[in-house]
Amino acid sequence: MRISVTGMGYLGAVHAASMASLGHEVVGVDVDAQKVDALALGKAPFFEPGLDELLAGVVASGALEVTTEPSAVAGCQVHFVCVGTPQASASGAADLRFVDAAMAALVDHLGPDDLVVGKSTVPVGTAARLATYLAAAHPAATLAWNPEFLREGFAVEDTLRPDRIVYGVPDGEAGERATALLDAVYAQALDDGAPRIVTDYPTAELVKVAANSFLATKISFINAMAELCEVAGGDVTQLADAIGYDPRIGRRFLNSGLGFGGGCLPKDIRAFMARADELGAGDAVAFLGEVDRVNGRRRARMVDLATEVLGGSVVGARITVLGAAFKPDSDDVRDSPALDVAARLRALGARVTVCDPQAVANARTKQPDLHYEVDVETALTGADAVLLLTEWRQFRQLDPVRAGELVAHRTVLDGRNALDRDAWTAAGWAYRALGRR
Ligand code: UGA
C-alpha cells in the first residue's frame, strides 16, 4: 500500500520505517528539515536500538521517502498522523496545535476517499472533532484512531510485533472500509496473531490514556510501598518480588526507585485529569494526582538521601550521576528523573558530573550548566558520591572493585534498585537505595 506518515519523531519515524520494512511504500513528512535530512540519508535523528539498521535498508531500497514537502502525501491511500501532543501549560492539558496543523496540511493533498489515521495520544473527543473537520473538506474521506503502545528502547520490536492493535472507527460502511484498509496495513502483525479490537473513537482514545495511567499507577504504587518500607524498615524489592508472583498482580512495572519520566506517562496522566475535569468527571481520575505526587516525591527523596550521605550538605561535594536519559536504551531526556535530580543537586551547590552513553547532547541542551562526561571511568574519578539514576546495562554491570579505585569516597546511591547490593558492599561501598534498609 502507499502510506504517508506525518511527524518523524520517536513514534512516526519508527512507524514509517517499520511499515516500509513490511513492504509498503511510505512517504514520511516533517516540518523539521534537519530531521528530514538525517532520515533521507537513512540515519535516525535520535537513538533507538535497531532503527538505524531498519532505516538504512528501507531508504536504500526506496521503500521510504522522507520530505518536508506536504504535497508528497498525494497518491497515498492511508495517512498516519504521528505528531506530538506535549503538555500545554500548568493546567496539564494537552497541546493539540501540532495535530491540528498536521490535519490542516493533509487536507489540501488528500484524495477524495482516503483514510486518515490518528496515532498521536489525544484527549478523548479529539477524533470526533477532527472527523467533522475532515468531512467538511472531503465528505468521502474517513478518519480512524489507532493508538500506539510502543515503548522507547523497544520501539521497532513493539511496532513490528504489537501486543494488540486498536482501531477507533465510525459506524457503518465508512468504518468497515477503514477497518479493511487498516487490516491491509497491519496484515503481517494480524497474521502473526496480534489481537485486534475494533471500536468507536472515544474508546480508542481512552484505551491509550487508560493504559498509560495504569502503568503510571503501578509504578507509583510500588514507590508508595517504598516510602512505607523506608519508615518501617522493610525492603521494597523483596516486597515487589513477593506480590509480583501473584499472576493477578505480575512483577513487570513494579520496579521501585526514582519513578517515571519521559514524554508520555507524566504528561498523559495530567492531560487525562484535565480532560476528565472538562467532562465533569474529574473525580473519577483524581487519584492520578496522587500518582503524580508520589512520583515527584521520589526525586525529592533522592536529593535528601544524597544530602544525608554527604553529611548534611552537598555544597562543594563531587557527585557523579549515572544516567541522564529518562530510561535506558533511549537518548530522550523529556521529564527525565535523573536529569531533574542532577539539576536540583547542582542548584544546592554540588559539583555534579552527569554520565550517559547516549543522552549527553540532549541533556546539555536542557541543562547546559551541568558538567557532562560520556566515559564512565572519567566520570567516576574523584567522586564523593555516585548516584545510579538511569539503569543502563553498562552501569548495572559496573565492577564495584574497579569503580572503588576511581572514586574519592565509596558511597553509592542506587536510585533504580538495579545494582548487586552484596557485591558493592563487599567491595567496601556504603550502599543506599530508595525503599531498602
Ligand atoms: C510508555 C508506555 O510504556 C508505552 O506503552 C506507551 O506507548 C508510551 O509510553 C507512549 O505513550 O508513547 P515509554 O515512555 O517509552 O513508554 O517508557 P516506559 O517503559 O513506560 O517507562 C516510563 C518510565 O517509567 C521510565 O522513566 C522508567 O524508568 C519508569 N519505570 C518503568 C519505573 O520507574 N519502574 C518500572 O517498573 C517501569
Side-chain angles (χ1 to χ4, degrees):
M1 300 188 75
R2 276 189 64 77
I3 292 173
S4 84
V5 179
T6 300
M8 291 287 104
Y10 288 97
L11 163 59
V14 176
H15 187 65
S18 300
M19 293 302 112
S21 79
L22 292 172
H24 301 303
E25 277 178 53
V26 183
V27 178
V29 185
D30 200 289
V31 291
D32 182 338
Q34 246 181 322
K35 237 183 230 175
V36 166
D37 288 348
L39 286 163
L41 292 171
K43 291 207 68 66
F46 49 85
F47 176 73
E48 179 62 46
L51 183 56
D52 268 330
E53 294 82 336
L54 196 69
L55 274 170
V58 293
V59 168
S61 72
L64 173 65
E65 180 202 327
V66 191
T67 174
T68 53
E69 179 49 56
S71 63
V73 307
C76 295
Q77 278 171 285
V78 180
H79 306 267
F80 286 96
V81 175
C82 295
V83 295
T85 51
Q87 187 173 322
S89 61
S91 78
D95 179 352
L96 293 178
R97 115 179 61 152
F98 303 112
V99 172
D100 291 341
M103 283 297 290
L106 268 178
V107 288
D108 290 341
H109 308 288
L110 290 181
D113 56 1
D114 284 1
L115 175 66
V116 177
V117 187
K119 278 189 104 52
S120 308
T121 302
V122 291
V124 59
T126 305
R129 172 173 69 78
L130 294 176
T132 308
Y133 173 77
L134 179 64
H138 299 280
T142 306
L143 180 85
W145 216 264
N146 169 222
E148 178 56 54
F149 307 105
L150 67 78
R151 300 159 296 167
E152 289 177 30
F154 301 90
V156 172
E157 173 67 16
D158 287 351
T159 305
L160 292 174
R161 276 169 281 282
D163 49 21
R164 77 282 207 194
I165 301 176
V166 176
Y167 309 157
V169 295
D171 289 336
E173 222 176 284
E176 280 165 27
R177 230 190 102 253
T179 301
L181 282 169
L182 283 169
D183 281 353
V185 171
Y186 294 123
Q188 181 67 54
L190 293 170
D191 274 358
D192 293 344
R196 184 199 71 168
I197 291 168
V198 182
T199 183
D200 48 49
Y201 291 147
T203 307
E205 293 166 313
L206 284 169
V207 164
K208 170 68 192 201
V209 282
N212 276 1
S213 296
F214 194 92
L215 294 171
T217 303
K218 204 169 175 190
I219 298 167
S220 277
F221 176 84
I222 201 62
N223 284 332
M225 295 305 105
E227 291 186 12
L228 260 303
C229 284
E230 277 172 31
V231 292
D235 185 311
V236 72
T237 61
Q238 289 185 309
L239 184 147
D241 289 343
I243 65 172
Y245 281 121
D246 182 336
R248 294 170 302 173
I249 295 173
R251 183 62 178 80
R252 293 180 72 190
F253 263 69
L254 276 186
N255 294 323
S256 72
L258 204 50
F260 59 83
C264 302
L265 263 45
K267 64 107 177 152
D268 285 355
I269 61 170
R270 292 170 200 151
F272 197 12
M273 285 186 280
R275 182 60 182 145
D277 264 341
E278 283 170 9
L279 294 170
D283 285 351
V285 290
F287 71 94
L288 291 175
E290 206 50 57
V291 166
D292 205 6
R293 279 186 287 278
V294 170
N295 194 52
R297 283 205 294 274
R298 304 322 284 154
R299 304 177 186 192
R301 176 75 188 114
M302 180 46 85
V303 172
D304 288 349
L305 196 58
T307 309
E308 187 190 317
V309 299
L310 286 161
S313 166
V314 300
V315 175
R318 283 160 303 177
I319 297 179
T320 297
V321 166
L322 299 179
F326 84 102
K327 67 189 272 191
D329 295 313
S330 172
D331 64 357
D332 192 347
V333 298
R334 287 176 293 172
D335 203 352
S336 163
L339 199 55
D340 187 11
V341 167
R344 290 185 199 202
L345 288 167
R346 184 184 179 278
L348 290 172
R351 291 153 66 192
V352 181
T353 295
V354 179
C355 178
D356 193 287
Q358 292 291 340
V360 163
N362 286 342
R364 191 174 270 129
T365 310
K366 266 230 157 101
Q367 295 289 350
D369 295 335
L370 287 165
H371 177 69
Y372 294 97
E373 196 56 70
V374 175
D375 179 64
V376 67
E377 294 217 342
T378 312
L380 289 171
T381 302
D384 295 314
V386 177
L387 275 55
L388 175 86
L389 302 187
T390 310
E391 69 280 28
W392 284 90
R393 188 177 41 78
Q394 43 271 68
F395 298 155
R396 287 197 318 261
Q397 292 177 350
L398 270 175
D399 174 4
V401 176
R402 171 71 188 139
E405 291 163 4
L406 299 168
V407 296
H409 296 99
R410 295 182 189 184
T411 299
V412 63
L413 303 191
D414 183 357
R416 293 291 177 181
N417 285 315
L419 299 176
D420 179 342
R421 177 170 59 180
D422 294 342
W424 283 74
T425 310
W429 287 78
Y431 172 97
R432 295 290 299 271
L434 298 173
R436 299 176 84 182
R437 281 188 302 280

